[in-house]
Amino acid sequence: MNRSASDLGHQAEDHRWVDHAARAGMVAYGVVNLLIAWLALQLAFGDREGSTSSSGAMSQLAQQPFGKVLVWLVAVGMLLLVGWRAIEAAFGHDDEDGAKRTAKRVFSGGKALIYLAIAISAIRVATGSSGGGGGGTDSTTKKLMDLPAGQTLVFLVGAGIVGYGIFQIYHAWSGNFRDNLTAEGERGGSGTAYVAFGTAGYTAKGIAIGIVGSLFLYAAWTHSAKKSGGLDVALQKVLQQPFGPFLLGVLALGIGAYGLFCFARARHLSR
């Protein structure tokens, strides 16, 4: 019975519909990142209205003509990515051996959770249930902090997030992200542009994620949940630095480049 389930899982992982799901999801993820980049640019130029997070991006999208429909399309796209990564986590990376395969499957599972969080944000905005409440990163951190050894748990979460940010930057400058593109996607002038988008995009995402992780580490060090924060708080911290608007503008352009790379990846997907 287990063997039969495993065989079905591997057939699903190799099926063409997974390619279609991944492509559609990558387009949706590209839209999310471009919206976050636009909000970050607005913040850099002095607009303090929008939240530079996935939920803020969804709220911005919902205000456009046919916005609710577009938000639902993004939600569906992100759920398709969740399905792809979940199948990959359970049955993928068979070309790897032992610990490396396990690590890649865990990584795929982590990506599925990230995409799920964005999908939930989109669904909440589309259904009008995103406002108010005591949610947010600081409340989550407080819940962790109240657990036995909670301060250590928050520190470990922060260290993990920082590590993931560093990995994203390594991914950018080692060129490993090129494995996400087919050979055709790296050829010619368009291929050069795609690689440039990927390098800038993964670097910017890595820096932003690293700042988020640093906020968790600081919250653990000071035993204050309010010191933590998500992407919106991280970008606000960048804005508060010397030359903050310029630095935030550069970071926003990098996040936008990542969004464009997602479109390139959707077109030239290599799994």
Side-chain angles (χ1 to χ4, degrees):
M1 191 70 177
N2 288 339
R3 179 65 181 170
S4 176
S6 177
D7 288 343
L8 286 173
H10 285 105
Q11 288 174 20
E13 206 270 333
D14 291 332
H15 204 279
R16 283 186 63 187
W17 77 264
V18 177
D19 276 351
H20 296 320
R23 291 177 194 276
M26 275 295 148
V27 170
Y29 197 35
V31 169
V32 171
N33 279 278
L34 285 176
L35 286 170
I36 292 173
W38 173 243
L39 289 169
L41 272 177
Q42 288 182 308
L43 182 62
F45 284 109
D47 185 348
R48 305 293 190 268
E49 292 296 319
S51 170
T52 49
S53 63
S54 57
S55 60
M58 293 303 98
S59 297
Q60 180 87 353
L61 185 60
Q63 294 169 20
Q64 309 310 310
F66 306 104
K68 289 290 179 72
V69 175
L70 295 174
V71 172
W72 274 116
L73 288 174
V74 169
V76 170
M78 297 313 301
L79 289 174
L80 289 173
L81 282 184
V82 172
W84 166 39
R85 289 300 193 179
I87 292 172
E88 207 174 54
F91 306 105
H93 308 296
D94 272 352
D95 53 332
E96 306 290 354
D97 293 322
K100 195 169 183 180
R101 178 173 57 194
T102 301
K104 286 195 172 186
R105 286 184 173 181
V106 169
F107 181 79
S108 293
K111 295 289 279 187
L113 292 176
I114 292 170
Y115 297 147
L116 180 60
I118 298 173
I120 291 171
S121 291
I123 291 168
R124 292 183 67 190
V125 169
T127 56
S129 60
S130 60
T137 308
D138 58 344
S139 64
T140 304
T141 308
K142 187 179 185 308
K143 289 175 185 175
L144 282 175
M145 204 87 78
D146 290 340
L147 294 172
Q151 200 168 356
T152 302
L153 285 173
V154 173
F155 181 86
L156 291 174
V157 169
I161 295 172
V162 169
Y164 180 59
I166 292 170
F167 174 76
Q168 293 287 85
I169 295 171
Y170 167 77
H171 203 51
W173 292 97
S174 66
N176 288 347
F177 69 88
R178 295 186 184 201
D179 294 341
N180 296 323
L181 298 172
T182 61
E184 182 185 357
E186 295 184 57
R187 292 195 194 109
S190 59
T192 301
Y194 298 156
V195 171
F197 292 152
T199 303
Y202 278 103
T203 301
K205 294 276 283 187
I207 292 170
I209 290 166
I211 296 170
V212 172
S214 298
L215 293 173
F216 273 88
L217 292 176
Y218 188 55
W221 180 262
T222 60
H223 202 79
S224 173
K226 291 186 180 296
K227 301 295 185 183
S228 67
L231 180 61
D232 53 339
V233 177
L235 295 181
Q236 288 278 0
K237 292 291 184 186
V238 172
L239 189 63
Q240 293 165 14
Q241 306 310 307
F243 307 104
F246 171 76
L247 294 173
L248 181 57
V250 171
L251 205 55
L253 291 175
I255 294 171
Y258 183 81
L260 295 175
F261 179 75
C262 288
F263 294 153
R265 190 173 175 187
R267 183 179 180 185
H268 301 285
L269 181 71
S270 174
R271 293 197 296 122

